[in-house]
Amino acid sequence: MRTHESEEMYLETILLLKQRKANVRSVDVVEELGYAKSSVSRAVNLLVKKGFIAIDGAGDISLTAVGQKKADDIYDRHRVITEVLMNLGADRALAEANACRIEHVISDDMFDILKKSIQ
């Protein structure tokens, strides 16, 4: 089952933040995405309820096994779509911006076709 675009954006952002720093907190997500603290707080609570993330007593966010898999899949879509768009002639900035939107709506079948085209 696909998650909602906003959930995917949060999971991908947490994944990328975890690659850059050991401890990720809600405030890091706020700064990264430029969203209101209240919006991030609500989204983080929903991700906890859905089992995608956990938050420890110090406020550090970690991806659960399910959340890690989902975040990896989302980021894989982003990387592949960016590469395909760049192969078609888009510069990196344009490819990244469009991949960020496409990754949330592309079907699994179409994504598999795109992925095979760059292998």
Side-chain angles (χ1 to χ4, degrees), residues 1-53:
M1 173 192 295
R2 294 288 309 260
T3 53
H4 297 282
E5 179 177 344
S6 61
E7 290 174 350
E8 292 179 349
M9 287 295 299
Y10 281 103
L11 290 171
E12 183 178 20
T13 299
I14 292 166
L15 174 75
L16 295 174
L17 286 168
K18 291 294 256 178
Q19 291 175 356
R20 294 195 317 245
K21 55 192 301 184
N23 299 320
V24 174
R25 297 180 181 192
S26 291
V27 69
D28 300 314
V29 178
V30 167
E31 291 171 2
E32 186 74 14
L33 294 175
Y35 295 169
K37 288 180 185 179
S38 59
S39 296
V40 172
S41 177
R42 181 180 178 279
V44 164
N45 287 330
L46 287 172
L47 292 173
V48 168
K49 287 179 184 174
K50 291 186 175 193
F52 290 124
I53 65 172

Side-chain angles (χ1 to χ4, degrees), residues 1-15 47 50-53 63-79 103-106 108 111:
M1 173 192 295
R2 294 288 309 260
T3 53
H4 297 282
E5 179 177 344
S6 61
E7 290 174 350
E8 292 179 349
M9 287 295 299
Y10 281 103
L11 290 171
E12 183 178 20
T13 299
I14 292 166
L15 174 75
L47 292 173
K50 291 186 175 193
F52 290 124
I53 65 172
L63 293 163
T64 63
V66 173
Q68 182 72 48
K69 168 83 170 94
K70 188 67 180 169
D72 288 340
D73 289 347
I74 295 161
Y75 189 56
D76 185 45
R77 285 174 179 265
H78 183 92
R79 287 191 323 258
E103 69 194 33
H104 304 292
V105 296
I106 192 169
D108 292 339
F111 177 69

